[in-house]
Amino acid sequence: APLEKLDDSVIREEVTKLYRKLGESIADTYMVLGIDPNEILMELFESFSNRLVKHKPGSRVFDIAIAGSTNMYYHLEAREDYYTFLREEPGGSGVVVANMLGGLGTRTTLISSIGLDYDGFKILSRLYTINGISLDNLVIYRDKITLKTLVVHKGLDVETKSFIGREVAIAPEPYMVNWRSIKAEVYCAADTYIENMYKLCSRASEDDKLFVLKPGLDNISYSPRGVVEVIQECKPIVVLSSKTHDALKEKTSLGAHDLINLGARAVIVGISAYGARLFEKRKVKKYTVVEASVIDPLGASDALLAYTLWGLRQGMDLDESVKWGVAAAALMATRLGVGNPPSINDVSGIIGKT
């Protein structure tokens, strides 16, 4: 039936069935039938995206608005002299955190971008199957490709390499987002453009709401002073992985205590998947997880952020929220990839060991 004649619940149900049943075999099926899969997918994608991604100014207030990256992870395992392809899955801080929050029943709007290509279609299809995630602020570039990231596993070490260029949809340009229409109880900027961080900071300030900042390695590599200026001006809760903390300190000579002195409300530094430190004025608290067994640390810092945000929206104080975040990060690291985040029941089961 034509898309415009179906209500959202029907589309959601059918897309979920297709995604689970066909998965990545859809292109192979078209090839067997002698049909160009790219031509069919682009036509379907454009109709699909036009229906799903639309602005509704002032239509609702979200629990959390998050700006962050949306990309396709390609996982490789490093051998002695060659690499083995493992799997591919939607990734990026924006997608991973929104996925977890949506699964927790938190009304979340994702401010991000994808390209009009097969990877973009798979990501959009996946996001649409998750209740609680709004795609109103997902920008689809017709003239760019979706960001791709190689994730290389070497034992317990993980290295990532993103392919960045003018033709890549890294993040939405600030002018392409209707910022005034976004209303949320908590505003969060992850690995997005510095300009987008300021836009969310302004929205939080105007609405007198909490602003949380989790800069990515690329933010710190390309604009360390910009990250520091956002912290100084916006006074957010800052969430850093151990890698981003060390990189920022190397680039600017500023550690967690220095960021507090610059005006950060608090600084949370994840220690891989084994715990975190919470820095506040005149005090530091360390959290550790007993019997953390790391398999894949990718996504641990995103789980720390997601569950901390969730805890704050549940009315917990920052201390208790971080405890949930640390427990979630530890569990995330026991799973391969980022597509199977821990549930509330999973996390509550090890809170007593945190």
Side-chain angles (χ1 to χ4, degrees):
L3 282 174
E4 62 270 13
K5 293 186 178 180
L6 299 176
D7 61 39
D8 286 347
S9 62
V10 174
I11 294 180
R12 184 184 298 274
E13 181 181 353
E14 292 305 314
V15 168
T16 302
K17 288 179 183 177
L18 283 172
Y19 185 81
R20 290 174 178 168
K21 184 175 180 180
L22 298 178
E24 295 169 14
S25 68
I26 187 169
D28 295 334
T29 303
Y30 283 135
M31 293 296 284
V32 170
L33 296 173
I35 302 171
D36 180 359
N38 289 321
E39 181 179 336
I40 298 296
L41 285 169
M42 290 310 99
E43 184 177 339
L44 176 59
F45 187 15
E46 191 140 25
S47 298
F48 189 51
S49 61
N50 287 339
R51 170 63 189 267
L52 302 184
V53 184
K54 53 197 173 186
H55 290 293
K56 299 176 183 177
S59 61
R60 47 188 159 165
V61 177
F62 296 99
D63 291 308
I64 295 168
I66 178 168
S69 63
T70 297
N71 53 359
M72 186 61 76
Y73 283 162
Y74 291 88
H75 294 269
L76 304 175
E77 184 178 3
R79 305 286 181 145
E80 280 191 20
D81 53 357
Y82 65 95
Y83 295 93
T84 301
F85 177 75
L86 299 175
R87 64 193 174 281
E88 62 184 60
E89 62 179 347
S93 283
V95 165
V96 176
V97 174
N99 182 17
M100 291 190 201
L101 290 172
L104 293 169
T106 304
R107 295 167 302 164
T108 305
T109 185
L110 174 62
I111 306 159
S112 192
S113 63
I114 55 176
L116 187 62
D117 56 11
Y118 187 39
D119 281 344
F121 176 77
K122 288 188 288 186
I123 291 170
L124 181 60
S125 300
R126 173 67 182 129
L127 288 173
Y128 192 64
T129 65
I130 303 170
N131 289 312
I133 298 180
S134 165
L135 303 179
D136 294 359
N137 298 293
L138 181 67
V139 174
I140 299 177
Y141 285 98
R142 267 59 182 173
D143 57 347
K144 294 186 178 184
I145 62 173
T146 301
L147 180 62
K148 296 164 175 55
T149 299
L150 286 181
V151 182
V152 181
H153 299 263
K154 299 178 180 179
L156 296 180
D157 293 327
V158 175
E159 295 180 5
T160 59
K161 171 65 177 176
S162 296
F163 297 90
I164 298 174
R166 288 192 172 190
E167 74 284 0
V168 179
I170 300 171
E173 299 292 338
Y175 71 88
M176 299 188 75
V177 178
N178 187 354
W179 299 99
R180 298 294 304 173
S181 72
I182 300 172
K183 294 184 182 297
E185 297 300 325
V186 178
Y187 294 87
C188 178
D191 48 356
T192 187
Y193 291 142
I194 296 292
E195 294 87 347
N196 293 343
M197 293 179 182
Y198 274 115
K199 291 290 187 181
L200 276 186
C201 167
S202 297
R203 293 296 299 119
S205 178
E206 290 169 7
D207 295 346
D208 194 24
K209 302 296 183 182
L210 180 64
F211 179 54
V212 180
L213 177 68
K214 181 183 179 287
L217 275 174
D218 286 339
N219 295 128
I220 293 168
S221 297
Y222 294 112
S223 185
R225 295 308 309 177
V227 172
V228 172
E229 288 168 5
V230 171
I231 294 171
Q232 193 166 13
E233 183 172 332
C234 300
K235 297 175 174 49
I237 292 175
V238 182
V239 180
L240 301 169
S241 67
S242 55
K243 285 186 178 180
T244 52
H245 174 268
D246 293 346
L248 185 62
K249 191 168 185 178
E250 181 182 347
K251 293 279 187 179
T252 65
S253 300
L254 298 173
H257 285 295
D258 301 306
L259 299 181
I260 292 293
N261 291 333
L262 283 175
R265 189 174 303 192
V267 178
I268 305 165
V269 181
I271 309 168
S272 184
Y274 299 102
R277 287 188 176 90
L278 171 61
F279 295 81
E280 295 180 282
K281 279 284 188 183
R282 303 183 188 86
K283 69 175 181 178
V284 179
K285 185 168 184 178
K286 183 177 180 179
Y287 305 79
T288 57
V289 179
V290 179
E291 301 174 356
S293 179
V294 176
I295 294 177
D296 183 359
L298 184 71
S301 64
D302 292 325
L304 170 63
L305 172 61
Y307 267 84
T308 298
L309 290 171
W310 173 80
L312 292 170
R313 283 301 300 136
Q314 296 301 305
M316 301 178 194
D317 60 19
L318 185 57
D319 173 45
E320 187 67 17
S321 298
V322 172
K323 184 179 288 189
W324 277 82
V326 168
L331 281 177
M332 190 72 176
T334 66
R335 307 173 181 199
L336 291 172
V338 296
N340 182 29
S343 67
I344 293 177
N345 289 337
D346 295 334
V347 179
S348 63
I350 68 165
I351 282 291
K353 299 179 181 180
T354 304

